[in-house]
Amino acid sequence: VTDALDEFNSFNREDYVYRLRSGSEFIDPVCKMAVNAGGNKQAVTQKGRKYYFCRKKCRELFIKDHAKYLNG
């Protein structure tokens, strides 16, 4: 996961949909955890991009104030 976070940190904060090595993992924009997209029920589409979350609480926080997590 450390390598994945290093890769993530090198990208623009808007690129939360950056796929990790497996191709089906994404970074949760709230807690920065790697999340598997397969069967993930916590996804949200915002500004034409799909964001995945590790848990319901992260999803709720993002919905409440997505700009906070997308703009730093």
Side-chain angles (χ1 to χ4, degrees), residues 40-64:
N40 187 309
K41 296 179 181 175
Q42 301 302 330
V44 170
T45 300
Q46 179 68 33
K47 296 183 181 179
R49 292 187 180 198
K50 197 164 192 175
Y51 299 90
Y52 297 90
F53 303 90
C54 67
R55 60 193 178 120
K56 186 177 179 180
K57 183 65 176 178
C58 285
R59 180 181 181 271
E60 290 171 353
L61 288 169
F62 182 83
I63 290 170
K64 183 177 178 181

Side-chain angles (χ1 to χ4, degrees), residues 18-36:
Y18 175 68
R19 290 178 190 239
L20 302 176
R21 287 179 297 280
S22 74
S24 65
E25 286 188 315
F26 295 81
I27 298 294
D28 179 324
V30 176
C31 69
K32 313 289 187 289
M33 286 182 60
V35 180
N36 191 316

